[in-house]
Amino acid sequence: MSATATRKNFSLIVQKLRETQNWHRFDEFLIRFLGYEWEGTDGPGDEMRKKAYRLFLQRTEDERCATLPTIRRWFGIGEFHSPNRAQIYGICISLRLSLPETERFLKEGILEPSFQISDYSEIIAMYVLENRLGMKKYESMLSEYEEKMAGYESGSPRTEARGTEWLFRQFENIKIFPEREFLAWMWEHMESFKGYSRTLQGYLEHYRKRMVEQSQQEIRRQLHILLSETRYYSWRDEHGRKSVDEKKEIKRYLSADSRRKKPTVSPELRKNISELVNIAYTNRAYNTYIVSELFEMWERAGMERQGILPRETVKFMSGKHVSDLFNIPVRNRLAQQTHRALFRLRQMDSGAAPPKEIVSLAEECGGGEPETVEEAVGCLERFEKENKRRRLIVQRGDLLPLILYVAQQTFLQETRQSGAPYDGERARKVFTTLADETLIACGMEPLNEKYLLDAVLLACFQKNEMYTYTDVLALV
């Protein structure tokens, strides 16, 4: 069967899948949470949406967490927009929800990780939720902490940075502290609030490394097949240089063969080998590999988008997005340093020369070398605005494509080694096991076919055929 035919089959499989049920959306999650139920797969009707909306306004009358048009969109009235992470905290604090209920909103409602306790804004939100203190108290505590943080000098005497598990253990003790004591404890342990999860970053790095290793192994396997069609291996035994790496040795062979009166390697084969050598032994950045292997392959294969899957369900990661993902620690560090630097600069004369360390920070932020405080403020304010937009949290939709790739490559390598035929159920099991272990460790919802992306990725494992994320991207 041709590649075009198999892609058409996958298109039909996913098209049918989309029609089988009403897929998870936050508006329906919220309406159900407020106590409303409906029959069938068409979702709640307009009247039910409006009733749930009015109930939400009644329960949050004293502390609105957003404008009325924004709240209406959360209920799918007129149009639908899902709230972001900060808005989820606003919803849960305004509703006076418990921590377990808030965790449901994060993990199940918007499919994001559970509490990021190493983010100072989230541990304050957790404290406010635990003590049912409301939005005004949350905003005042956050403002007070940020003001103290702005005056904090990195490297000044404080306790050493601790990890997420330690913070969670400590929270069980400090959640009952009075507000003043809680903030004092946070101030004392400020170095621990890096703003991101090391566990999430660790898994992201792990899959990036696995992807590159597996990709190069597969390319080297293909390269070996092509080289076996030539005299390379016998030539290497006779003329090879032990001190020369494989890449240089292959190129030396191709060069020597091309100078022969009657070359044994055809121009087309030489071209194919050269291309594979450059990829198999490249020192390209890891991020380039990910973008190339997962998110550009469908374009190089000449595949056209089919519009079957919604764009918000399936991620097209640009090089910029991938870079931001792997630079989350750097961007969080710069955010805190910029916040503190701006606090210092706004207390100085605008025409004065900025401190050397702030000039260095401005350079790192891409703003050149400001000569005055006014220039430094402008530079850091521009960076702060851009950096806020590009600071990310690793999400399920970021990890699952990487997990799918690694799981499928692992299965294919094991199958080649054992000589066993393709087994769709076994291939699917490799993926589900790896995905669930990773997602649970990262504080995320495990695979569930009520989520459209999960169902589509699981549909990649058919009885007689296995489809890749490249095939999924073509359906957007």
Side-chain angles (χ1 to χ4, degrees), residues 230-278:
T230 72
R231 298 175 180 174
Y232 169 69
Y233 290 110
S234 59
W235 176 90
R236 187 184 63 181
D237 292 340
E238 185 178 349
H239 303 284
R241 299 173 182 171
K242 292 182 180 180
S243 61
V244 178
D245 62 39
E246 192 74 4
K247 179 179 180 180
K248 291 181 179 178
E249 202 75 326
I250 294 170
K251 290 194 170 187
R252 197 164 70 89
Y253 165 73
L254 293 176
S255 177
D257 185 81
S258 67
R259 294 195 299 270
R260 293 168 61 99
K261 288 184 178 180
K262 292 184 179 180
T264 60
V265 182
S266 68
E268 183 178 356
L269 182 57
R270 182 182 296 109
K271 179 183 177 184
N272 291 338
I273 291 174
S274 296
E275 289 177 352
L276 289 180
V277 166
N278 288 332

Side-chain angles (χ1 to χ4, degrees), residues 142-171:
L142 190 63
S143 176
E144 183 174 346
Y145 180 83
E146 288 183 337
E147 185 175 339
K148 287 183 177 180
M149 183 181 75
Y152 166 70
E153 292 293 333
S154 181
S156 59
R158 287 290 181 274
T159 57
E160 64 181 67
R162 307 297 288 268
T164 300
E165 290 184 8
W166 183 85
L167 286 172
F168 273 114
R169 288 197 302 270
Q170 293 303 306
F171 183 75

Side-chain angles (χ1 to χ4, degrees), residues 195-462:
Y196 67 93
S197 166
R198 292 181 183 177
T199 299
L200 280 172
Q201 286 303 122
Y203 274 99
L204 196 64
E205 291 286 351
H206 168 74
Y207 281 106
R208 175 167 69 169
K209 185 177 180 181
R210 287 282 302 276
M211 269 194 68
V212 174
E213 290 172 349
Q214 290 179 330
S215 173
Q216 289 193 317
Q217 285 173 9
E218 172 59 18
I219 291 168
R220 287 173 187 175
R221 187 186 70 83
Q222 296 172 17
L223 178 61
H224 171 69
I225 293 172
L226 293 185
L227 288 172
S228 297
E229 298 175 15
T230 72
R231 298 175 180 174
Y232 169 69
Y233 290 110
S234 59
W235 176 90
R236 187 184 63 181
D237 292 340
E238 185 178 349
H239 303 284
R241 299 173 182 171
K242 292 182 180 180
S243 61
V244 178
D245 62 39
E246 192 74 4
K247 179 179 180 180
K248 291 181 179 178
E249 202 75 326
I250 294 170
K251 290 194 170 187
R252 197 164 70 89
Y253 165 73
L254 293 176
S255 177
D257 185 81
S258 67
R259 294 195 299 270
R260 293 168 61 99
K261 288 184 178 180
K262 292 184 179 180
T264 60
V265 182
S266 68
E268 183 178 356
L269 182 57
R270 182 182 296 109
K271 179 183 177 184
N272 291 338
I273 291 174
S274 296
E275 289 177 352
L276 289 180
V277 166
N278 288 332
I279 299 172
Y281 298 98
T282 185
N283 291 320
R284 281 191 308 172
Y286 282 176
N287 293 355
T288 308
Y289 254 108
I290 291 176
V291 174
S292 176
E293 285 295 308
L294 282 181
F295 306 105
E296 292 178 350
M297 192 70 76
W298 69 278
E299 290 182 308
R300 295 202 300 273
M303 300 160 71
E304 295 182 1
R305 295 184 186 177
Q306 299 180 41
I308 296 173
L309 293 173
R311 186 69 184 263
E312 62 270 18
T313 299
V314 180
K315 282 201 174 185
F316 280 86
M317 288 197 201
S318 65
K320 189 175 185 179
H321 181 82
V322 173
S323 174
D324 287 344
L325 276 178
F326 289 100
N327 279 292
I328 286 173
V330 174
R331 290 202 168 276
N332 277 278
R333 172 180 61 80
L334 290 176
Q336 294 190 18
Q337 290 179 342
T338 300
H339 185 76
R340 291 195 289 265
L342 285 170
F343 178 82
R344 288 180 62 190
L345 290 169
R346 288 168 181 149
Q347 298 178 44
M348 298 174 65
D349 178 60
S350 62
K356 290 182 179 180
E357 62 273 19
I358 292 181
V359 173
S360 297
L361 176 63
E363 285 187 276
E364 188 176 359
C365 294
E369 298 183 33
E371 296 181 357
T372 65
V373 166
E374 184 178 14
E375 289 178 4
V377 168
C379 162
L380 294 181
E381 282 181 340
R382 288 190 295 273
F383 175 79
E384 188 174 50
K385 183 177 180 181
E386 170 71 6
N387 194 46
K388 185 177 180 180
R389 184 179 63 82
R390 295 183 64 177
R391 284 172 65 198
L392 306 175
I393 290 179
V394 181
Q395 300 183 7
R396 291 173 91 254
D398 298 315
L399 280 172
L400 282 173
L402 310 188
I403 297 171
L404 179 71
Y405 180 95
V406 168
Q408 290 184 330
Q409 290 299 317
T410 299
F411 169 76
L412 290 172
Q413 288 171 7
E414 291 175 354
T415 300
R416 288 193 200 101
Q417 290 172 4
S418 66
Y422 171 75
D423 183 336
E425 282 301 316
R426 193 161 64 87
R428 178 184 167 117
K429 182 66 175 175
V430 173
F431 170 60
T432 57
T433 300
L434 198 59
D436 283 346
E437 287 175 354
T438 303
L439 294 173
I440 291 171
C442 291
M444 300 177 180
E445 279 285 282
L447 286 175
N448 191 321
E449 291 189 79
K450 74 178 180 180
Y451 306 130
L452 181 56
L453 176 60
D454 297 24
V456 170
L457 296 185
L458 289 168
C460 289
F461 302 93
Q462 296 297 308

